[in-house]
Amino acid sequence: MSFSPANHCNLKLQKNPIKQPILANPTHFNSHQNQKPSNKKHQFPSFSIKASKTPQTPLTKNPDTPPLVVVGSANADIYVEIDRLPKEGETISAKTGQTLAGGKGANQAACGAKLSYPTYFVGQVGEDAHGRLITEALKNGGVNLDCVRNLSDAPTGHAVVMLQPDGQNSIIIVGGANMSCWPEKLSDEDLEVVRKAGVVLLQREIPDLVNIQVAKAARSAGVPVILDAGGMDAPMPPELLNAVDIFSPNESELARLTRMSTESFEQIGQAVVKCHKMGVKQVLVKLGAKGSALFIEGEKPIKQPIISAARVLDTTGAGDTFTAAFAVALVEGKTKEECMRFAAAAASLCVQVKGAIPSMPDRPSVLHLLQTV
C-alpha cells in the first residue's frame, strides 16, 4: 500500500519553490560574539540581539534551502470556553465555542511557515469540511501540502479543547484520519521529501509505525529528527526512540515514559538519564512556567527560563510553537542556547492569542521580543 498518485509527494525544490512572505530587514540575535560560522551550505535569514539600523535589501528564500518537514497529525480543534471543568456526571454550559484548524503536526508546520522557513507537511485528512478547514489554513499560511492525503473512508481527526479562564486547557483527541489508512510500508518515493529535509519533526498523534519509518529514513540521509512526545498515551517503542536525535517531552510525558517523579529539577535530570539509557542522547524538556532545559548526554544541562507574556489567554499550541521554533533555529545553524531562546520567545507570543494555528507568531514579532528582553 502506498500514497495514491493524486496525492503523491514528490519534492522538487527548484521547480516548486514554496511561496513565502518576503522577510525585509532581517535582524540577528547572537549571545556569542566569537561564534564560529556554520558550515551549512544553505543559510537562511538569521537573528541577532543588535538589529542593524541600516535598511537592508529584502531577502527571499533560496528555493534550494532544505525545508522543515513535519510528519504528523491534523485536527479540527473544537474550542469551548468554560469557567471550570465539569465534575463526573455533570453537564455545564460553555461561554463560547468555535472550530479552528489544529493538531500537533499541523500546528508545528504552521509555525515553521509563519517563521518564514520553507515548510512541508506530511499528513492525512478526510474529505470533509474539517479537512478543508485545515488544508485551507495551512495553505494560506504558506505550508507546502504536496504530501497531504485526502481520505474518503475516514473523517478528519478532531479535538475538543476545554479552555479555562486562566488560559489552561484540557483536550480530548479523536484520531480519525490521523490514525487510519497509513501505508504499512512507506515507499522510497514517499520518503523522498524526508531525505531532502533540513530537519524533520515528529509527534505521537499518528501511528508509531509511520514515525519509525520516517525517522529511520531521515537518519540514513543524515537529517536530524526531533520527536515531540505529545500524543498517544502508550509505551514508547525503543525502535523509535533510538532513531531520533532530540526527544522533547513535557514534565508529565517524561514522568509517564520513565515512570519516575519529575517534581523537581533534580528528579527531571534523573528521569532524563533513563531516557539516555533508552537510546536518545538529547532530551529537550518543556517545563511550562519554569521554562525549558536541554539535556545532552555527558554535558551540563542548558536551562532557558520563560520569557514572560504580557497576558496568558490560551496555552494551546504553546508546546508545538516552542518545538517548531527550536527546529527552525536549529536548521539555520544556531547554537543550542540560541535555539532555546528563540523558541521561548515564540512560545511567549503564542499564549497571548486564542487558538493554536491563529496564535503562531511571525518572525518579526519574535525578533522584536528578543530585542526587548
Side-chain angles (χ1 to χ4, degrees):
M1 185 175 182
S2 180
F3 286 112
S4 61
N7 294 289
H8 191 70
C9 175
N10 184 17
L11 176 62
K12 296 180 180 179
L13 292 175
Q14 292 184 332
K15 293 185 179 180
N16 298 308
I18 303 170
K19 295 182 180 179
Q20 298 276 3
I22 293 175
L23 180 62
N25 192 23
T27 54
H28 294 254
F29 85 81
N30 185 359
S31 58
H32 303 275
Q33 294 181 349
N34 298 317
Q35 180 183 345
K36 295 180 180 179
S38 170
N39 59 3
K40 284 184 174 289
K41 180 179 179 181
H42 303 294
Q43 288 299 304
F44 198 73
S46 54
F47 28 88
S48 139
I49 283 179
K50 296 182 179 179
S52 171
K53 295 182 180 180
T54 305
Q56 301 179 25
T57 303
L59 298 177
T60 55
K61 296 171 190 59
N62 184 340
D64 291 332
T65 299
L68 165 65
V69 174
V70 183
V71 183
S73 60
N75 289 326
D77 287 344
I78 304 169
Y79 279 81
V80 290
E81 293 190 42
I82 55 178
D83 289 323
R84 59 176 177 81
L85 294 174
K87 298 177 182 178
E88 185 175 351
E90 181 184 23
T91 299
I92 63 174
S93 296
K95 295 178 181 178
T96 62
Q98 61 179 324
T99 302
L100 300 170
K104 294 188 72 65
N107 291 346
Q108 292 175 7
C111 183
K114 199 73 178 288
L115 292 173
S116 300
Y117 197 85
T119 303
Y120 279 67
F121 177 59
V122 181
Q124 300 186 152
V125 297
E127 292 182 348
D128 50 35
H130 284 165
R132 291 188 291 273
L133 171 73
I134 294 165
T135 54
E136 183 177 340
L138 293 176
K139 184 178 180 181
N140 290 342
V143 178
N144 186 295
L145 302 180
D146 287 353
C147 307
V148 174
R149 296 178 70 208
N150 295 291
L151 304 181
S152 60
D153 51 356
T156 300
H158 60 277
V160 178
V161 182
M162 294 171 282
L163 182 63
Q164 298 181 70
D166 62 358
Q168 297 303 311
N169 61 65
S170 298
I171 303 174
I172 302 171
I173 297 174
V174 180
N178 295 314
M179 298 298 294
S180 303
C181 305
W182 284 91
E184 292 182 8
K185 183 177 181 180
L186 302 177
S187 70
D188 286 341
E189 289 181 320
D190 294 335
L191 295 170
E192 179 185 13
V193 67
V194 172
R195 297 191 182 99
K196 290 187 176 180
V199 62
V200 170
L201 275 179
L202 302 174
Q203 323 81 39
R204 299 196 71 205
E205 290 184 347
I206 62 173
D208 285 329
L209 178 65
V210 176
N211 278 336
I212 290 169
Q213 292 180 67
V214 170
K216 287 184 174 181
R219 171 158 287 189
S220 70
V223 177
V225 179
I226 300 175
L227 172 63
D228 189 310
M232 68 179 74
D233 182 8
M236 180 73 66
E239 190 176 8
L240 175 57
L241 210 54
N242 285 325
V244 304
D245 297 278
I246 300 176
F247 177 57
S248 184
N250 60 28
E251 292 167 282
S252 61
E253 291 160 351
L254 179 62
R256 190 166 63 238
L257 173 66
T258 61
R259 298 182 180 179
M260 297 175 65
S261 177
T262 56
E263 295 296 322
S264 68
F265 191 80
E266 182 181 359
Q267 291 174 329
I268 290 170
Q270 292 170 349
V272 166
V273 169
K274 188 170 183 178
C275 289
H276 291 328
K277 292 178 179 178
M278 295 169 70
V280 63
K281 304 303 180 185
Q282 300 183 62
V283 182
L284 176 60
V285 186
K286 298 180 282 280
L287 302 172
K290 293 178 286 186
S292 59
L294 176 62
F295 296 82
I296 302 175
E297 188 173 32
E299 299 182 17
K300 184 179 178 180
I302 301 171
K303 297 181 182 180
Q304 171 62 51
I306 63 166
I307 295 177
S308 297
R311 57 178 181 172
V312 178
L313 291 182
D314 183 6
T315 57
T316 308
D320 296 328
T321 299
F322 181 92
T323 305
F326 181 93
V328 167
L330 182 69
V331 76
E332 289 174 1
K334 304 307 168 189
T335 67
K336 295 293 173 48
E337 291 85 355
E338 290 172 332
C339 291
M340 294 179 69
R341 191 159 182 257
F342 187 66
S348 175
L349 292 170
C350 171
V351 301
Q352 300 181 51
V353 180
K354 290 182 181 179
I357 289 179
S359 69
M360 303 297 176
D362 58 24
R363 181 178 288 253
S365 298
V366 176
L367 300 181
H368 175 74
L369 177 57
L370 285 170
Q371 293 167 26
T372 61
V373 295

